[in-house]
Amino acid sequence: FPQIAAMSACGDEESRPRYTFRHLPQKSFPSLESRETRDRLVKWSMDGRITAQAFSFDQNFKGYQQEDFLMDFFNHPDVNSNLKMVSASGQWTTLKTSVNKAEVKNIPCTKVSMSFFDRLYCEGVVRENGYIVKCFDEYCDEILIADELRKVLLLEDSNHYDLFSHSDREEFLFCLFKHLCLGGTLCQYEDDIGPYLETTKALYKDLVSVQKDLETKEINIISTVFKVSAYDVHGLCYPSSSSHEQTFAYLIINPLKRHIYVLYHSFGTSFFCN
């Protein structure tokens, strides 16, 4: 089971060299910026509430130092003044607060093929032509469940919930797919699974770094993925002051390039902008 760790500012931090971070505003994420994706995000009520950003860091990343790494990240001036989030009023702002505690969940990231989702093409969930089988409407935590796919994603008593094991559901690839399928407050669901799979694949490819093993020729993922939240003196402050399954912030770390990609979304009503 992935562990959730809590960390806070401590008095003995001064003895170690701190990580230094730099915002990389020139880094683009085509998967979120293409016209086709933007149109889909508007339909899914996520446009205007989802973003990806890049930062660099100056020392080797060591997994056993993740607590120090994340506290340094949130409190570094170039992160604090540039890390985007959606305010309670629905406007984009930046973190701009002193973080005194952070929580991190390690997210497994091992999948290198979209064949991971082939099991959905079984009778009763998704037809061979990609059509998602509909069901009677019901709600789960403000999210409308109107088809068998969302049942698989959300309802443990679904007939097909066991298509994905607990460890499958922890995978970053599954998390991305689930977030896109569930969308925002006024999400208009797709009738076909294709757009969900295509957008998940493009976003995953943008965020996750791989390298080929010279001996086996296999493709291996080198990225480390964290799901994070941060607290200031008033309580939870990032990714939002209120928690929701569809409000999230993932940090995807490339240890070779020393880059961090941040994928952020705040559950709410999308802005229908051009």
Side-chain angles (χ1 to χ4, degrees), residues 2 22 40 67 82 128 155 163 167 229 234 236-237:
R22 186 165 61 91
R40 288 172 178 170
E67 293 89 352
N82 287 290
E128 284 186 16
L155 300 183
L163 282 174
S167 59
S229 55
H234 303 292
L236 181 65
C237 63

Side-chain angles (χ1 to χ4, degrees), residues 91-133:
Q91 303 298 314
W92 282 108
T93 184
T94 53
L95 184 58
K96 290 184 293 188
T97 188
S98 178
V99 169
N100 56 30
K101 187 179 79 167
E103 289 182 349
V104 57
K105 180 179 181 181
N106 291 278
I107 303 296
C109 186
T110 65
K111 303 303 179 187
V112 294
S113 171
M114 293 297 289
S115 62
F116 179 64
F117 296 107
D118 285 353
R119 67 195 81 178
L120 288 170
Y121 290 89
C122 67
E123 186 175 351
V125 181
V126 179
R127 307 289 188 208
E128 284 186 16
N129 63 359
Y131 179 79
I132 302 168
V133 177

Side-chain angles (χ1 to χ4, degrees), residues 19 57 59-69 226 255:
Y19 286 93
F57 54 97
Q59 304 174 45
N60 288 336
F61 171 74
K62 303 178 181 67
Y64 64 85
Q65 291 182 332
Q66 68 182 38
E67 293 89 352
D68 295 333
F69 183 84
F226 298 137

Side-chain angles (χ1 to χ4, degrees), residues 207-266:
L207 296 172
V208 171
S209 303
V210 299
Q211 67 179 13
K212 181 181 285 189
D213 187 301
L214 296 178
E215 292 185 4
T216 66
K217 307 301 181 185
E218 290 183 351
I219 299 297
N220 297 314
I221 291 173
I222 60 172
S223 298
T224 296
V225 182
F226 298 137
K227 189 175 186 180
V228 299
S229 55
Y231 297 76
D232 62 10
V233 293
H234 303 292
L236 181 65
C237 63
Y238 181 85
S240 171
S241 58
S242 58
S243 59
H244 190 280
E245 182 170 7
Q246 283 295 90
T247 295
F248 56 80
Y250 293 98
L251 268 56
I252 303 95
I253 300 168
N254 180 329
L256 299 185
K257 286 187 176 182
R258 294 182 180 173
H259 282 178
I260 305 172
Y261 298 151
V262 181
L263 178 67
Y264 173 96
H265 176 256
S266 175

